[in-house]
Amino acid sequence: MLYGVHDIARNTLGLSSQSERLRDGEFWAVDDVSFEVKRGETLGIIGPNGSGKSTMLKLINGIFMPDKGKIEIKGRVGALIEVGAGFHPMLNGRENIYVNGAILGMSKKEIDKKFDEIVDFADIGDFIDAPVKHYSSGMVVRLGFAIAVHCEPDILLVDEVMAVGDYKFQRKCFKRMKEMRSKGVTLILVAHNMRMINMICQKSLWVDRGRQQALGLSKEVVDLYVLSNEKSVQDIKQGHTANDVIFSKVMINGKSVNADIIIDAKDELKISFKYTANIKIERPVFGVSIYRDGLLSVSSKTKYSNINLKDINIGRGIISIGFPKLYLSTGIYSVELSLLDEEMSVPHGYRFKDSFKVISSWLEGDCNPIISPDMQVGIEEDLNV
């Protein structure tokens, strides 16, 4: 209790806790992390659970004070860090808009002016007049995000809480964040969705056990993080890695991915690619996922479609996959390819950097995720490919 009284007293006076020496059972949640984010830049913070990502956002937002070092912020900060943070459970949605808006630094006049826009963005219907204690976690996030983005922040902090939102709302959030980024708003995003980090964030920071592991371009940092996870799998599964099979020369509907590929939503989608296998893979499972704006639109694996592939031998060959109809809406999509073991626990091959554009004159708006659509897969071995 003496430690607690000491810390509370120093915090009340606006002083740091001076806890240079760790007490029994304590550890540094964030230790020796340093980075800079400029106006209009987007930073993704990645790492396993418990690595200090959310603590870092709370430090930036001023909820916690650093024991050592300093944090410099220029501009208004809007934050969505925890589900329900800043909401009073007994007040209804309308009243909480004013309470939460005031916490974010908005005046009553400013909230009055933007009230209808906030309610429209949150899109929670008649629940706006119900006490927040009756809201689902997704509804709380809807309202919280709507308030945060309408306070016109210079810096927006977003934690993984957006993951509890439904597909349509996530799409709306990503679109709004892109608009804010184009207007010069700085975004700091914590997420476990590596595709979303790659698509939204220019730079990424990888932390583990509170310490900085890598800082740089998102593509490079994400690749390092993914490979580190695969290395732990490698130790368990006798040295098999995602480099066992290397994909190359990807073709979509007969055209190289280096060209602008435009397909109609009603057309069959056929993906072909060359591979080089460095080991023999028995009873492989092939998977393909299609994303739009970092969100899953289509996902399927041969095992789910009861397609049994023959063993892949050492050498080169071609794998072709066809979808009769996907009914995708207009937009740009990214393709993720994976080759797994029979138990789908070890990645033998992986590729995520190919895209195509869909033009649809009859299907507009958002499309709902399609899990395990009809697919046909063929493997052709040819050492001379």
Side-chain angles (χ1 to χ4, degrees), residues 92-384:
N92 63 31
R94 292 180 183 273
E95 295 163 335
N96 270 293
I97 289 176
Y98 284 91
V99 173
N100 200 258
I103 292 174
L104 293 176
M106 299 173 70
S107 65
K108 183 178 183 301
K109 184 177 180 180
E110 189 177 0
I111 298 174
D112 288 337
K113 182 179 178 181
K114 298 178 180 177
F115 184 85
D116 291 339
E117 294 179 30
I118 294 173
V119 173
D120 182 64
F121 191 95
D123 192 23
I124 57 177
D126 295 336
F127 286 97
I128 193 69
D129 294 311
V132 166
K133 67 178 182 178
H134 297 309
Y135 285 16
S136 67
S137 58
M139 291 166 63
V140 173
V141 169
R142 281 174 172 267
L143 190 59
F145 190 86
I147 298 170
V149 298
H150 282 88
C151 76
E152 296 186 2
D154 300 302
I155 304 167
L156 179 64
L157 312 177
V158 183
D159 204 344
E160 185 66 22
V161 291
M162 268 204 321
V164 302
D166 58 37
Y167 180 82
K168 182 178 180 181
F169 184 70
Q170 287 185 26
R171 288 271 320 198
K172 186 190 292 188
C173 291
F174 295 150
K175 183 178 180 181
R176 187 56 181 259
M177 285 193 291
K178 286 184 177 180
E179 292 174 355
M180 295 176 72
R181 184 179 63 181
S182 66
K183 293 179 180 178
V185 176
T186 299
L187 299 177
I188 300 180
L189 178 67
V190 168
H192 290 288
N193 186 335
M194 296 301 104
R195 299 162 192 84
M196 183 176 69
I197 291 290
N198 267 330
M199 298 199 64
I200 295 180
C201 303
Q202 300 157 316
K203 300 191 301 183
S204 287
L205 169 67
W206 168 25
V207 291
D208 193 358
R209 298 182 182 179
R211 298 189 65 87
Q212 180 173 319
Q213 304 297 318
L215 174 65
L217 295 176
S218 287
K219 180 66 173 67
E220 298 173 358
V221 175
V222 167
D223 284 349
L224 287 173
Y225 175 57
V226 171
L227 286 174
S228 73
N229 291 326
E230 288 170 359
K231 187 175 181 180
S232 63
V233 175
Q234 171 184 352
D235 295 336
I236 300 173
K237 295 290 185 175
Q238 302 178 350
H240 293 170
T241 72
N243 293 321
D244 292 339
V245 176
I246 299 174
F247 298 145
S248 62
K249 189 68 175 180
V250 176
M251 308 280 286
I252 296 179
N253 283 16
K255 297 180 181 179
S256 171
V257 293
N258 295 324
D260 292 332
I261 301 173
I262 300 177
I263 67 173
D264 191 279
K266 295 179 290 186
D267 293 341
E268 176 189 13
L269 177 63
K270 184 176 181 181
I271 305 171
S272 303
F273 52 91
K274 294 182 179 180
Y275 70 86
T276 301
N278 299 314
I279 66 169
K280 181 177 180 178
I281 303 174
E282 297 180 352
R283 297 179 295 279
V285 174
F286 176 72
V288 61
S289 298
I290 299 176
Y291 296 84
R292 181 182 175 189
D293 293 336
L295 294 177
L296 182 65
S297 294
V298 175
S299 179
S300 187
K301 289 182 172 63
T302 51
K303 193 169 185 177
Y304 299 155
S305 300
N306 295 318
I307 299 174
N308 298 316
L309 301 180
K310 64 180 181 179
D311 296 349
I312 292 180
N313 297 310
I314 297 176
R316 290 180 291 180
I318 297 175
I319 297 179
S320 298
I321 176 171
F323 293 103
K325 278 185 173 47
L326 290 180
Y327 301 106
L328 299 174
S329 56
T330 299
I332 297 177
Y333 294 82
S334 299
V335 180
E336 176 188 84
L337 307 172
S338 59
L339 196 61
L340 313 170
D341 70 330
E342 185 181 17
E343 298 176 354
M344 298 190 296
S345 60
V346 178
H348 289 294
Y350 177 82
R351 182 180 174 111
F352 180 73
K353 57 182 179 180
D354 307 305
S355 60
F356 62 94
K357 184 176 182 180
V358 172
I359 297 294
S360 176
S361 59
W362 56 280
L363 182 62
E364 298 299 334
D366 297 330
C367 60
N368 292 320
I370 306 172
I371 308 300
S372 296
D374 293 334
M375 63 186 300
Q376 301 91 36
V377 178
I379 297 180
E380 177 183 347
E381 292 183 1
D382 186 350
L383 295 179
N384 298 316

